[in-house]
């Protein structure tokens, strides 16, 4: 199993040891994602383009129902 060495945690990880989040390792063709509390439990790999769409959707303003 390939384990990239450029894991990054979100700046929203919280205070303390910051282990309550996921970590990502970006690559040109895909994004690797793992649980920071259990980094050896497994890695989810997603193609870069769909991951970028997902992140952009999260950042988009939400529309409230009247």
């Amino acid at each position: 199993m390939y384990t990239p060495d450029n894991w990054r945690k979100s700046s929203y990880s919280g205070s303390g040891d910051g282990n309550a989040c996921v970590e990502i390792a970006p690559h040109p063709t895909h994004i690797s994602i793992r649980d920071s509390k259990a980094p050896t439990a497994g890695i989810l790999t997603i193609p870069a383009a769909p991951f970028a769409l997902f992140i952009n959707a999260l950042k988009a303003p939400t529309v409230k129902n009247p």
Side-chain angles (χ1 to χ4, degrees):
M1 176 169 84
Y2 172 72
T3 304
D5 59 356
N6 57 341
W7 292 102
R8 298 184 320 185
K9 289 184 187 179
S10 168
S11 60
Y12 295 100
S13 298
S15 59
D17 58 11
N19 285 334
C21 65
V22 296
E23 299 173 315
I24 67 165
H27 300 277
T29 59
H30 65 278
I31 305 296
S32 298
I33 305 168
R34 70 181 181 184
D35 183 347
S36 63
K37 294 181 300 298
T40 60
I43 297 172
L44 175 65
T45 301
I46 301 173
F51 186 76
L53 290 171
F54 171 69
I55 294 300
N56 287 336
L58 291 176
K59 292 178 180 179
T62 57
V63 177
K64 294 183 180 181
N65 291 330

